[in-house]
Amino acid sequence: MILKGNQRASGRELALHLLNVEDNEHAVVHELRGFMSADLIEAFKETEAISLGTKCQQYLFSLSLNPPKFARVSVAEFEKVIGEIERRMGLSGQPRAVVFHEKKGRRHAHCVWSRIDVDKMRAINLSHYKLRLRDISRELYLEHGWDMPAGLIDARDRDPLNYSGAEASQAKRVKRDPAELKNLLKTCWSASDSRAAFASALLEQGFCLARGDRRGFVAVDAHGEVYSLSRWLGVKAKELRARLGEFSELPSVEEAIALLNGQHSKPDNNKAHTRQIMEHKAKVADLVLKQRAERQELSQSQETRRIEEIKARQLRLPTGIRAVWARLSGQHQRICETLACETKASETRDSLEAQALIERHLAERRALDRELSFLEAQQALEREFFDKAAPLHRGAYQLDPSQPLVLPHDVVPFTPAQLKKQPDLILAHISDKKARFTRTDITRGLSEFIHDPLDLRLASDRALASTGLVQITGATNEEFTTRDFLDAEQALENHAREMAKSGGFKVSNQHIEKAIKQQNSDLQTRFGANLSDEQVTAVRHVLAPNQLASVVGLAGAGKSTLLATARVAWERQGYRVHGAALAGKAADSLQSASGISSRTLASLEASWKGGYEPVAAGEILVIDEAGMVGTRQLERVMDQLQKRGCKLVLVGDPDQLQPIQAGKPFRDITQNNDTARLTEIRRQKSAWQRAASRDLANGHTEMALQNYTDQGAVHKSSDRDQAITALVDDYVADCERNSTDTTRLAMAHRRIDVHAINQAIRSARNASGSAKQETLFKTDNGPRAFANGDRILFTRNDKVLGVRNGMLGTVTDVGNRQLTVRLDSGETGQSRALTFSPQQFPSIDHGFAVSIHRSQGCTVDKSYVLSSRTMDKNLTYVALTRHRDEAKFYTAPDIVPKHLRSEQGMVAPRDFKAGAPVRSR
């Protein structure tokens, strides 16, 4: 842990700082030793009064003990470290105070000793205490196996963004993060080579370069805060003058403030995120109050129990003549020893209870802090997005309709200036999305940040010479990957091989047979069917003792049914089963269809990082839609499971939507290990549709579309707009013909097409008179009008409402600025209603049509698919396998997928070009 100590006076100010619960969420005085007073302020006053009899001005020694961010350090370990420091610093027996602070999910301790030796009435000399603390700190890192900071190994490698106490205090005054503020100023400095460039860079960030009254070059913000550039940049005044010249020509502090306040502020395009951040800060405040109440309640209950236990022990001591005999026989001594042991055990129990509560509270707080950091990063990213895109409106999707807005985890971890110095940083950025890439990919990635052709060429050559780059041998073109990705691939392969060979998860045949019999009975009642032979074989495969099992199932082949059967057998055997998926909606679908309690993989990993054990030793984890998980993430999950001795079951289809992150690990695992396969389609009712789904799964998209063409389910129009019109006409006509029990969904690849279809369906409903009076709401996706009967899509997870990103429902009531929605029932046939205010939760959109990515995992009666030039075989496969009864495909020469294009501008099958029974508009 990092140890920071200093000799100081001003005991009252120090005590107030240690008791501060405004900046610290929890501040607890753990110990006051050697003082007459039980109050921290009065205790330090005692030391100050004694110091007046000496010449010592700095009568206190204050030490902060800061463990690494995710280290779990108990109170006993803190006390042990404090005792060792006390011994080695010559402070043994001195009066001391120990205070624990918690903030943003991190816990650290402060210890303050009196330096005054009362017997000799002089101060204890603490020579070279900084060097001693550094040595102790290193020993602690090595003892606990923590990753030692580079600056502690060698002071020359210290993080340039480390900030001093004075800088932290200044940043606190302006309510900014000191590390972020220091990074911002250093970035402006490193990216400029002249006074004009530096002043311009500062001005873009809301600072003005000015001359200080005492500090030479300073930066001033609009609130009048003055920042010493020499201090914040870590640059000597001589170097500042060499680059910036004389400061006499710069504006004064007052002139700089007037200049900044005279500028027009930028419009706030982040109102939604600002509101979300404020809501999360309110959540933090509520959480802190709740945690304080829980700790107070635990403390009171422990104190009540302690008193009752003391009374009970006293009653066990013999009294009267029996006491005399007990002392004579030695029984009294044995009873006292027993009671002392029980007392110590009770104290240990209370300490462990308190520590467990603290650990839970820290994990809860860290979870909120990660969420808040994510929103702040997203806010900063979208501010940059809107600065570049103004005056375009985000809801109109005018930047690039086919691409989603870049998420915060995609933000590059470097600045253009850093990239010029270290061009190989781009390799990690590229390999995060691509397992293999070319020289062109590297140059294209660098060109986004480096615009000068000569600098770009030099940077590209340096990146290609990086030791972290590996050329792939045997590739048809010159292709590369990174050593880091190869290591992740190798680690994943090792985990898979070892887990596939390991056993320990046996399920008795009796439980397997009962589970299959129970599922067949249920299927007979609901559908008049039984598990297929393939499904039974797959059930037995996943219930085998192996630590790793995988199932490849075509879309609609009954993967959820076999998992529901396996869950029953596992639970009969006494195993606990967990579920996970990449997306929240997929996790919900897994839970509703199979009865396996599920969460997202991100949530699972966050729990591990926060110190929780969401999947304990000997338990089972099922990952659905495993084909969408990237190599690095799956390797991390498998590593955690193998360490804990858990079983992993991977279920999915590697030919559906591909991972966003680099790699196709599910495909590799299924090819290299024993895998159960489900090829019998059970979702579609028509035999020709099931045959088409098999063609799509095998990559024979042309043959599948020919099947749909022969059945009159491919609709050809002259252009995109007419194709959308045809789709909308069919959708609305079906709504009017069939009951509300029929489920239907329109799909498209590009967001601009999804938006157009949604608005066209609403307009058609208005024209037919079926729409009700509508109310306009502001949403994260732009202004949206809703009326009774409208379909609604939720675009963000929310635990309070119990909704997931991608959930669909139907609006049943619009009134009093609120929406009442009946959520879709899903696989279980159970639905629920919820009422909320879009002002409080604006992450909604119309849900008549959704993107193909969002449709993964959905099952509906009828589907309507709009073609797009950007669709590939995987997207076509997903889009045309969501239905039970009917699917229709709408296309035109200008929106035919590239992989299906022919010279005539339509798809490749012979009959589709001309003369086939294709309905035209």
Side-chain angles (χ1 to χ4, degrees):
M1 59 182 71
I2 299 297
L3 306 174
K4 292 184 179 180
N6 65 302
Q7 301 172 152
R8 59 169 299 159
S10 306
R12 175 179 173 79
E13 286 75 9
L14 177 58
L16 291 174
H17 167 70
L18 294 178
L19 296 172
N20 180 9
V21 290
E22 296 297 327
D23 298 321
N24 299 291
E25 291 146 15
H26 301 282
V28 179
V29 179
H30 174 68
E31 178 189 54
L32 280 177
R33 185 193 72 186
F35 300 101
M36 295 181 64
S37 174
D39 179 81
L40 189 65
I41 297 176
E42 295 300 322
F44 288 171
K45 280 185 179 179
E46 291 177 27
T47 304
E48 183 179 9
I50 295 171
S51 71
L52 295 177
T54 70
K55 294 182 180 180
C56 178
Q57 300 294 319
Q58 297 175 320
Y59 51 87
L60 297 173
F61 181 67
S62 175
L63 175 72
S64 67
L65 301 92
N66 300 277
K69 187 170 183 178
F70 295 110
R72 301 174 66 176
V73 183
S74 66
V75 172
E77 288 175 302
F78 272 114
E79 290 175 336
K80 179 182 176 183
V81 172
I82 290 171
E84 179 63 16
I85 293 171
E86 182 178 87
R87 183 185 66 80
R88 290 168 68 168
M89 301 290 287
L91 293 170
S92 298
Q94 288 296 108
R96 78 181 187 196
V98 178
V99 179
F100 284 103
H101 282 175
E102 290 177 37
K103 184 177 182 180
K104 295 184 177 180
R106 298 189 68 173
R107 194 168 198 238
H108 64 276
H110 292 271
C111 188
V112 183
W113 288 271
S114 167
R115 291 184 59 217
I116 307 302
D117 185 340
V118 178
D119 294 334
K120 298 180 181 179
M121 283 305 291
R122 62 181 179 84
I124 296 174
N125 183 27
L126 300 176
S127 58
H128 307 295
Y129 68 84
K130 291 186 179 179
L131 295 177
R132 292 194 221 174
L133 291 176
R134 185 194 64 188
D135 292 341
I136 297 172
S137 182
R138 287 174 176 167
E139 291 171 13
L140 289 171
Y141 273 96
L142 293 172
E143 178 185 342
H144 290 84
W146 297 326
D147 292 333
M148 191 179 299
L152 196 57
I153 299 173
D154 189 337
R156 292 172 296 183
D157 296 330
R158 190 171 297 160
D159 187 351
L161 298 183
N162 283 347
Y163 47 85
S164 65
E167 291 167 344
S169 299
Q170 187 172 24
K172 179 181 173 183
R173 284 199 300 272
V174 295
K175 298 180 179 179
R176 299 189 68 164
D177 180 74
E180 179 186 337
L181 183 59
K182 190 155 195 169
N183 183 47
L184 186 150
L185 294 173
K186 280 181 168 286
T187 300
C188 292
W189 174 255
S190 61
S192 58
D193 55 3
S194 66
R195 177 199 288 183
F198 185 46
S200 176
L202 286 175
L203 199 58
E204 286 183 5
Q205 301 298 334
F207 299 91
C208 183
L209 183 62
R211 66 175 188 275
D213 298 331
R214 296 180 292 107
R215 300 183 181 89
F217 293 101
V218 297
V220 183
D221 64 19
H223 302 290
E225 190 69 30
V226 180
Y227 305 86
S228 168
L229 290 177
S230 180
R231 173 196 293 165
W232 281 92
L233 299 177
V235 175
K236 293 183 179 179
K238 181 179 179 181
E239 187 177 345
L240 283 171
R241 284 195 300 272
R243 184 181 299 188
L244 305 180
E246 293 300 323
F247 56 81
S248 57
E249 300 176 2
L250 293 173
S252 65
V253 171
E254 293 75 15
E255 291 170 342
I257 295 171
L259 175 65
L260 288 170
N261 288 325
Q263 291 184 341
H264 297 290
S265 60
K266 294 181 181 179
D268 184 8
N269 292 307
N270 282 315
K271 290 182 179 179
H273 284 297
T274 302
R275 176 186 49 73
Q276 290 173 341
I277 288 173
M278 296 304 295
E279 288 176 359
H280 276 79
K281 289 183 178 178
K283 283 184 185 178
V284 170
D286 292 341
L287 179 66
V288 170
L289 291 175
K290 176 187 166 209
Q291 290 180 348
R292 288 176 182 171
E294 287 182 356
R295 294 191 187 188
Q296 181 67 22
E297 182 181 354
L298 177 65
S299 177
Q300 291 174 352
S301 65
Q302 286 183 341
E303 180 64 17
T304 302
R305 184 173 61 189
R306 187 180 70 84
I307 293 171
E308 291 174 353
E309 289 175 346
I310 289 173
K311 290 179 180 178
R313 292 189 195 105
Q314 287 176 339
L315 293 175
R316 290 165 60 186
L317 289 171
T319 57
I321 297 176
R322 293 176 59 192
V324 175
W325 172 248
R327 289 181 183 276
L328 290 174
S329 64
Q331 185 182 4
H332 185 274
Q333 180 65 24
R334 289 193 295 274
I335 293 174
C336 289
E337 290 174 356
T338 301
L339 295 179
C341 291
E342 291 179 2
T343 301
K344 187 174 181 180
S346 298
E347 291 173 352
T348 303
R349 176 202 63 205
D350 291 348
S351 176
L352 291 174
E353 281 183 357
Q355 185 67 30
L357 182 65
I358 289 169
E359 292 292 344
R360 177 166 67 82
H361 285 176
L362 289 172
E364 290 174 353
R365 181 62 184 87
R366 281 195 290 265
L368 273 183
D369 194 52
R370 283 192 296 270
E371 198 173 350
L372 186 61
S373 299
F374 177 88
L375 286 172
E376 287 173 339
Q378 192 172 31
Q379 183 185 31
L381 181 66
E382 289 203 5
R383 183 181 294 116
E384 180 183 355
F385 174 87
F386 278 105
D387 287 345
K388 292 178 180 178
L392 300 180
H393 190 277
R394 182 174 187 259
Y397 306 119
Q398 296 182 46
L399 284 184
D400 185 354
S402 66
Q403 297 299 323
L405 183 65
V406 178
L407 296 175
H409 64 261
D410 290 322
V411 179
V412 290
F414 46 75
T415 63
Q418 291 173 319
L419 196 60
K420 285 184 179 179
K421 294 179 180 179
Q422 293 180 273
D424 57 344
L425 292 175
I426 199 68
L427 300 178
H429 182 56
I430 296 172
S431 74
D432 186 51
K433 295 291 182 290
K434 292 186 175 184
R436 293 185 172 196
F437 47 90
T438 64
R439 182 189 297 263
T440 304
D441 293 322
I442 296 173
T443 305
R444 186 184 295 115
L446 289 167
S447 67
E448 295 179 15
F449 308 94
I450 302 174
H451 305 297
D452 182 84
L454 181 59
D455 290 342
L456 179 61
R457 174 65 182 273
L458 293 173
S460 179
D461 290 343
R462 288 178 60 190
L464 286 165
S466 170
T467 56
L469 189 67
V470 179
Q471 185 169 357
I472 299 172
T473 57
T476 53
N477 298 319
E478 188 183 25
E479 292 184 328
F480 304 91
T481 187
T482 61
R483 198 169 301 282
D484 169 70
F485 183 78
L486 288 178
D487 291 342
E489 272 192 326
Q490 186 61 52
L492 181 72
E493 183 181 342
N494 293 339
H495 292 320
R497 183 175 60 254
E498 292 167 7
M499 292 175 72
K501 292 179 181 178
S502 301
F505 291 87
K506 182 176 176 57
V507 179
S508 71
N509 287 329
Q510 180 184 3
H511 294 323
I512 296 175
E513 295 301 330
K514 285 185 177 180
I516 293 172
K517 183 178 180 180
Q518 178 180 326
Q519 187 63 249
N520 282 334
S521 176
D522 186 38
L523 290 173
Q524 280 289 337
T525 303
R526 295 168 61 192
F527 308 111
N530 290 324
L531 290 170
S532 68
D533 292 341
E534 278 188 336
Q535 286 177 307
V536 172
T537 302
V539 167
R540 295 186 184 279
H541 172 75
V542 299
L543 293 176
N546 309 73
Q547 197 179 353
L548 174 68
S550 54
V551 178
V552 172
L554 304 186
K559 297 186 289 293
S560 299
T561 305
L562 85 85
L563 289 177
T565 311
R567 175 188 61 80
V568 173
W570 277 320
E571 290 178 350
R572 284 178 179 273
Q573 190 70 37
Y575 293 116
R576 189 177 178 189
V577 190
H578 307 267
L582 191 66
K585 187 174 184 299
D588 276 353
S589 298
L590 172 62
Q591 181 166 325
S592 63
S594 65
I596 299 173
S597 178
S598 303
R599 64 199 300 176
T600 63
L601 286 172
S603 169
L604 190 69
E605 290 194 272
S607 295
W608 278 322
K609 289 181 180 178
Y612 282 110
E613 291 293 334
V615 184
E619 295 181 348
I620 297 166
L621 177 69
V622 177
I623 297 182
D624 196 17
E625 305 291 359
M628 297 178 66
V629 186
T631 295
R632 290 185 176 91
Q633 185 173 33
L634 188 56
E635 188 276 324
R636 293 194 302 268
V637 171
M638 291 182 72
D639 180 57
Q640 294 286 346
L641 294 176
Q642 188 177 19
K643 287 177 180 176
R644 289 164 173 77
C646 303
K647 176 165 182 166
L648 174 62
V649 178
L650 299 172
V651 181
D653 185 351
D655 293 317
Q656 292 192 49
L657 296 183
Q658 301 301 294
I660 297 173
Q661 303 297 320
K664 297 179 181 179
F666 182 57
R667 185 188 299 275
D668 296 337
I669 288 173
T670 57
Q671 288 175 349
N672 298 329
N673 298 276
D674 189 21
T675 301
R677 299 183 182 274
L678 299 177
T679 59
E680 182 181 342
I681 309 297
R682 300 173 71 87
R683 178 179 294 162
Q684 284 83 45
K685 297 178 180 178
S686 301
W688 72 267
Q689 291 179 343
R690 294 196 293 270
S693 295
R694 280 192 292 273
D695 288 336
L696 289 166
N698 294 326
H700 304 146
T701 311
E702 296 88 350
M703 294 174 62
L705 276 174
Q706 188 62 57
N707 258 330
Y708 278 91
T709 299
D710 295 340
Q711 298 296 326
V714 175
H715 305 275
K716 180 175 62 174
S717 301
S718 59
D719 56 29
R720 167 185 173 270
D721 292 341
Q722 284 196 11
I724 292 176
T725 302
L727 184 154
V728 172
D729 287 346
D730 289 346
Y731 186 102
V732 174
D734 185 67
C735 290
E736 294 173 351
R737 281 195 309 269
N738 296 302
S739 66
T740 55
D741 293 337
T742 301
T743 58
R744 58 188 67 81
L745 187 66
M747 286 170 272
H749 181 214
R750 303 191 311 159
R751 292 187 303 177
I752 193 171
D753 293 335
V754 172
H755 181 64
I757 294 170
N758 273 318
Q759 299 313 308
I761 290 175
R762 296 194 76 257
S763 297
R765 281 162 49 83
N766 287 332
S768 66
S770 59
K772 309 295 183 183
Q773 184 177 358
E774 58 186 25
T775 303
L776 188 67
F777 296 98
K778 290 183 179 179
T779 76
D780 290 347
N781 301 293
R784 296 288 188 268
F786 287 94
N788 288 2
D790 274 354
R791 296 287 289 162
I792 188 171
L793 170 73
F794 293 90
T795 59
R796 179 166 61 86
N797 298 338
D798 190 273
K799 290 184 179 179
V800 177
L801 292 180
V803 297
R804 295 275 200 174
N805 183 4
M807 269 191 176
L808 292 162
T810 302
V811 177
T812 58
D813 185 50
V814 181
N816 194 25
R817 304 302 298 170
Q818 288 188 324
L819 291 175
T820 299
V821 176
R822 172 66 61 179
L823 296 175
D824 288 357
S825 57
E827 298 285 344
T828 60
Q830 298 177 350
S831 63
R832 63 182 177 90
L834 63 90
T835 301
F836 67 99
S837 167
Q839 185 176 2
Q840 300 298 322
F841 186 78
S843 302
I844 55 176
D845 204 346
H846 293 125
F848 297 103
V850 300
S851 69
I852 297 173
H853 280 89
R854 287 193 188 277
S855 74
Q856 172 102 353
C858 289
T859 300
V860 293
D861 295 324
K862 298 183 178 182
S863 61
Y864 305 82
V865 182
L866 180 69
S867 176
S868 168
R869 293 173 62 89
T870 56
M871 285 175 66
D872 57 20
K873 290 186 177 183
N874 304 110
L875 290 163
T876 307
Y877 175 25
V878 172
L880 290 176
T881 52
R882 301 301 96 203
H883 64 286
R884 297 186 187 93
D885 300 328
E886 184 179 11
K888 295 181 179 180
F889 188 74
Y890 301 83
T891 187
D894 58 340
I895 55 172
V896 172
K898 289 184 179 179
H899 70 286
L900 296 174
R901 294 184 70 81
S902 65
E903 294 180 0
Q904 284 79 8
M906 299 306 290
V907 297
R910 50 180 176 75
D911 292 336
F912 191 73
K913 297 177 186 176
V918 179
R919 191 178 73 187
S920 298
R921 295 276 180 168

